Amino acid sequence: MNQYALIYLDNNPASFEQLRNELNVFASRFDIHFAHSLEAANASLQACIDNKQAIALVIANQNEDFNGSDFLIQLDKSPFTQKTRKVLISCGQDIQAILAAVNEGRLDHCLTQPLPRNQLYKTVQNELTNFVIEEDKEDVLSYGLILDQQKLLRAHIDLKMRSYQAGFISDHHKMSDSVLAEKVISALIKFFANDDETQAVRHYSSDHLLTVEGEENNFLWFITSGEVALYKKDELGMQREVVRHTKGNLVGGMSFVTGEPSFSTAVTLTETDVIKLDREVFSRVMYSDTALLPLFTNLLLRHFNRRLQRNINTKIQLQQTLESLESAHHQLIESEKMAMLGQLVAGVAHELNNPIAAILRGTETLTDSITSLVNGENRCSPEMTSYIMTRALSSRPNSTAEERQKTKSVENLVGDRRLAKKLVKLGLNEDQHWLKRAKSNPLLVSDELNELESFHVAGATLRSINVCAQRIADMVKSLKGYARQDDETFHFVDIHEGIEDTLVIFENKLKRHQLEKHYSQLPPVRCLPIALQQVWTNLISNAIDALPEQGELSITTRLQNKDDKQWAVIEVQDNGCGISPELQQQVFALNFTTKKEGNFGLGIGLSVCQQIIHQHGGIIDVDSTVNEYTKMSVWLPIEQKFDNSEG
């Protein structure tokens, strides 16, 4: 006996036999009861009720000698047949009977004789398909051979998608980590219980290596018991434990999803059981069980979210005094959208390294300056120190040639080159009061300038920290909107200001080297200022890392005509070890680096720089000779600035 039944009521023997053949195709999944009279139809109906067999469809004939519409009306009044689909076959003359069946019996379909060939078959197939979709949602695909297969498939997909979406948004995020992990573990173990050709379910002894920092990883490890530690190399190349994972945690998740090298080295600390999945097996497991996909997705995103929060929290704690950085911290921690970031979360930690590392360098300089300001005896007036600090916060950059020229002019007036350089640096080179005092009492003025220089350094460093903090805040803002991290508007800006902000960040490192700046007069460039800040940071950082002892760093800007367009060209050149012609072809590849193992920091990031420059319609190229120099050139197109062109 099938789960559902179909009743066909017709007192016309000729049409009965003809239509009977059209209905027999459904007999494999529906018990079909043929009735020549109302009595026989009621008997079939009662038999179905006694056997608790649901009636999917009733077809009744209506003519002058036979009132099948009454039988359909009775069905609608019985609780047992409330959901039964009802089809009336009429000669078309008894309009009142048809209207009664429609109104009182809630008729689903009405056919008029004579019936075209296969008309009844198509109608029955459609009505049974609708019935099954409503009443047997979980098993609709099993009716695909006799009913509307495409309609059943769409209904099945819609059901699974609604179930997936509802579970992902409403149910799974309410589960605790342990409950969610237990469900995933049970489902995976069940999947591999009978078929484990890849030996996904594994047992490891302690000190077993799972991932190696910086190396390719093609597997995802799901810990079912035991303990695994993750290690990361510091700037000195020393392995530092960063986190421990136990049952329910994932190892290798970030690199498995993004294809990037492993972020850390993972080692088992105890006897450990895992489920090891490669990408092919992972896809097979997920597609074999649609209920497992949202569970695993939630678990994977929780893993990414926690890791991201750990990385950010560790670095941002050092900057709690900065309001903008606190805002970034708060937004990252509080954002509930982190669970939906998907592939975006993979690059956040790397992207934050640049501004965070810059702020750390800036705070070192600022700490020294603040100590000097607090502990020293201020002989200069508050108005003067305030002026110097305010000027440093908003001063425009000067090229090395300009500074030399100004220094030489002041030296001719005061007779002391060292004092002249300080006066130029502090913007006092045109202040007649200071020029006269420097000439008449150089020792006293030298002490006062040293004091003011501390305020200048503090102001310049604060400006750089603010720029970097704003970079972090903008990245967080873009993450909250699931957009790119450089989702800012274009503005016309002075390129030299961004370069100078970056140089202040590296002031401590540059003290050991010689810096040459050759700035030409450039018109404002239409750009994304924050995005370009990352370019200058990467290029200058790479150049400094390549410098020998007492090295030389040169930054040159100029206007250049090329291909009937005017370009702003910015060149960053170092006299370091250089890059071989073979490696020059790879420098813009993702994750490429020439840095030595253990030199953890900003990373070369030239692929990111290239993407940003291309976004501006520009070009970035490399020119290098081994053991002589490396020059990175950025070409940015000059656009005409109109009154309403910004934004």
Side-chain angles (χ1 to χ4, degrees):
M1 184 177 70
N2 288 304
Q3 183 179 1
Y4 303 114
L6 183 155
I7 298 178
Y8 173 53
L9 173 60
D10 193 347
N11 70 335
N12 187 336
S15 62
F16 190 93
E17 289 303 321
Q18 175 187 348
L19 299 179
R20 179 177 186 147
N21 293 330
E22 291 189 30
L23 296 176
N24 278 335
V25 68
F26 303 105
S28 62
R29 295 305 303 270
F30 299 88
D31 290 345
I32 304 178
H33 300 274
F34 297 96
H36 293 281
S37 64
L38 291 173
E39 292 77 10
N42 283 317
S44 298
L45 177 61
Q46 188 60 48
C48 292
I49 294 175
D50 294 341
N51 293 325
K52 296 182 179 179
Q53 185 182 37
I55 301 173
L57 175 66
V58 173
I59 308 166
N61 188 31
Q62 172 72 28
N63 54 55
E64 295 178 356
D65 303 323
F66 191 75
N67 193 354
S69 63
D70 283 346
F71 184 73
L72 298 180
I73 293 173
Q74 293 174 12
L75 292 176
D76 196 61
K77 297 178 181 179
S78 171
F80 186 78
T81 52
Q82 282 286 318
K83 297 180 180 179
T84 300
R85 313 292 292 187
K86 296 174 282 293
V87 176
L88 180 66
I89 302 177
S90 170
C91 62
Q93 298 177 354
D94 194 349
I95 301 300
Q96 293 300 322
I98 296 174
L99 291 176
V102 171
N103 295 328
E104 299 180 41
R106 287 187 285 190
L107 191 66
D108 294 295
H109 210 94
C110 183
L111 301 175
T112 303
Q113 293 180 335
L115 298 178
R117 182 177 178 81
N118 290 330
Q119 180 64 42
L120 181 63
Y121 165 77
K122 294 178 181 178
T123 301
V124 171
Q125 185 188 54
N126 181 63
E127 294 301 328
L128 289 178
T129 299
N130 292 335
F131 177 85
V132 167
I133 289 174
E134 290 296 326
E135 303 303 321
D136 200 6
K137 294 181 175 63
E138 296 296 334
D139 199 30
V140 291
L141 295 183
S142 65
Y143 296 88
L145 294 178
I146 60 173
L147 301 183
D148 189 336
Q149 189 176 38
Q150 290 188 352
K151 194 171 183 180
L152 293 174
L153 181 59
R154 286 196 300 270
H156 174 75
I157 293 173
D158 289 343
L159 176 66
K160 293 302 181 183
M161 285 301 296
R162 286 195 298 271
S163 174
Y164 172 81
Q165 292 169 352
F168 183 80
I169 297 173
S170 303
D171 299 331
H172 300 148
H173 80 278
K174 298 178 182 178
M175 297 180 185
S176 66
D177 289 351
S178 58
V179 172
L180 184 60
E182 195 60 49
K183 285 183 175 293
V184 176
I185 290 173
S186 299
L188 291 175
I189 291 177
K190 181 179 179 181
F191 179 86
F192 292 111
N194 299 321
D195 181 13
D196 192 8
E197 295 180 357
T198 62
Q199 296 182 333
V201 181
R202 301 192 179 195
H203 176 82
Y204 293 128
S205 59
S206 59
D207 297 324
H208 185 89
L209 196 63
L210 301 182
T211 63
V212 179
E213 179 182 349
E215 294 187 4
E216 183 181 7
N217 171 47
N218 296 313
F219 300 99
L220 177 69
W221 283 269
F222 192 90
I223 304 173
T224 57
S225 70
E227 190 173 24
V228 176
L230 269 57
Y231 299 90
K232 185 74 181 171
K233 290 181 180 179
D234 61 17
E235 295 183 353
L236 300 177
M238 296 292 294
Q239 291 279 11
R240 304 289 185 183
E241 181 178 329
V242 292
V243 70
R244 292 193 181 190
H245 287 323
T246 55
K247 179 180 179 180
N249 287 118
L250 303 171
V251 175
M254 191 78 75
S255 54
F256 179 81
V257 171
T258 65
E260 296 178 346
S262 295
F263 184 74
S264 59
T265 297
V267 181
T268 59
L269 298 179
T270 63
E271 298 279 332
T272 304
D273 293 315
V274 302
I275 298 176
K276 179 182 180 182
L277 306 175
D278 61 22
R279 290 183 175 85
E280 181 180 352
V281 175
F282 178 82
S283 298
R284 182 157 52 90
V285 173
M286 292 300 110
Y287 285 112
S288 69
D289 185 354
T290 55
L292 179 59
L293 183 57
L295 288 169
F296 202 97
T297 302
N298 268 270
L299 195 65
L300 193 64
L301 290 177
R302 288 189 191 189
H303 169 79
F304 287 169
N305 191 28
R306 302 268 167 77
R307 171 177 166 178
L308 177 63
Q309 291 181 11
R310 282 196 305 269
N311 291 342
I312 294 174
N313 286 340
T314 299
K315 297 176 181 179
I316 292 187
Q317 286 174 356
L318 301 176
Q319 310 302 323
Q320 292 179 347
T321 57
L322 299 174
E323 289 185 2
S324 57
L325 196 55
E326 287 179 346
S327 174
H329 183 194
H330 176 74
Q331 291 176 19
L332 284 172
I333 299 302
E334 296 298 326
S335 175
E336 294 181 0
K337 290 185 179 181
M338 294 300 280
M340 301 294 291
L341 283 175
Q343 294 184 355
L344 280 179
V345 298
V348 173
H350 173 74
E351 293 298 330
L352 283 175
N353 271 338
N354 285 338
I356 289 291
I359 289 176
L360 291 176
R361 292 188 178 96
T363 53
E364 291 178 6
T365 302
L366 189 58
T367 300
D368 294 339
S369 298
I370 289 177
T371 301
S372 175
L373 296 179
V374 172
N375 296 333
E377 294 182 2
N378 297 333
R379 284 167 290 185
C380 297
S381 66
E383 292 79 8
M384 192 64 206
T385 57
S386 175
Y387 165 77
I388 294 297
M389 181 174 290
T390 302
R391 181 185 178 277
L393 283 167
S394 59
S395 60
R396 296 176 58 85
N398 292 320
S399 68
T400 303
E402 288 176 322
E403 289 187 355
R404 285 176 177 171
Q405 182 179 359
K406 291 179 180 179
T407 299
K408 186 175 181 180
S409 298
V410 175
E411 183 183 2
N412 292 334
L413 295 175
V414 302
D416 188 318
R417 181 171 181 77
R418 184 173 59 84
L419 284 181
K421 290 180 66 175
K422 289 186 178 182
L423 288 169
V424 171
K425 181 178 181 180
L426 298 177
L428 302 175
N429 51 295
E430 296 181 359
D431 190 312
Q432 295 301 319
H433 172 72
W434 281 93
L435 292 175
K436 291 178 180 179
R437 292 185 62 223
K439 183 175 182 180
S440 62
N441 197 345
L443 292 179
L444 177 60
V445 169
S446 177
D447 292 339
E448 293 178 357
L449 291 180
N450 288 337
E451 178 182 314
L452 292 177
E453 189 173 16
S454 297
F455 288 91
H456 172 82
V457 171
T461 305
L462 278 173
R463 178 187 179 187
S464 299
I465 290 177
N466 285 334
V467 170
C468 296
Q470 185 60 47
R471 170 63 176 158
I472 295 173
D474 288 340
M475 276 198 291
V476 174
K477 180 180 178 181
S478 65
L479 284 175
K480 292 186 69 178
Y482 309 113
R484 291 173 54 85
Q485 78 278 2
D486 54 355
D487 186 19
E488 54 171 319
T489 58
F490 280 81
H491 298 281
F492 284 93
V493 300
D494 185 347
I495 288 294
H496 297 137
E497 289 186 358
I499 296 173
E500 285 295 311
D501 289 337
T502 305
L503 288 173
V504 173
I505 292 171
F506 297 105
E507 185 171 352
N508 282 338
K509 285 192 173 183
L510 288 173
K511 289 180 180 179
R512 303 192 298 269
H513 306 289
Q514 181 179 349
L515 172 63
E516 292 285 336
K517 295 180 291 184
H518 306 282
Y519 293 163
S520 299
Q521 291 294 328
L522 297 179
V525 176
R526 185 175 183 270
C527 65
L528 302 171
I530 297 174
L532 281 188
Q533 193 76 25
Q534 183 175 355
V535 175
W536 312 138
T537 301
N538 276 324
L539 296 185
I540 294 174
S541 172
N542 293 336
I544 292 175
D545 288 342
L547 289 175
E549 291 293 331
Q550 301 298 318
E552 296 179 3
L553 173 64
S554 173
I555 300 177
T556 303
T557 64
R558 55 186 169 86
L559 282 176
Q560 179 86 26
N561 290 321
K562 179 181 179 182
D563 300 330
D564 298 326
K565 292 178 65 177
Q566 193 174 42
W567 302 77
V569 183
I570 299 90
E571 297 175 342
V572 179
Q573 180 171 331
D574 64 76
N575 66 335
C577 57
I579 306 174
S580 67
E582 296 79 14
L583 291 182
Q584 289 181 38
Q585 305 299 320
Q586 307 176 39
V587 293
F588 295 109
L590 186 62
N591 296 320
F592 174 80
T593 181
T594 58
K595 296 182 179 181
K596 297 179 180 179
E597 183 179 1
N599 189 359
F600 174 74
L602 293 176
I604 195 164
L606 288 180
S607 63
V608 176
C609 294
Q610 187 181 57
Q611 292 175 15
I612 294 173
I613 297 304
H614 286 176
Q615 186 182 5
H616 288 73
I619 307 166
I620 181 171
D621 55 40
V622 57
D623 177 24
S624 183
T625 300
V626 176
N627 296 325
E628 291 188 16
Y629 72 94
T630 296
K631 178 169 67 178
M632 303 298 303
S633 300
V634 174
W635 295 62
L636 296 173
I638 300 295
E639 298 184 18
Q640 184 66 40
K641 182 178 180 181
F642 299 100
D643 291 342
N644 298 319
S645 60
E646 287 196 5

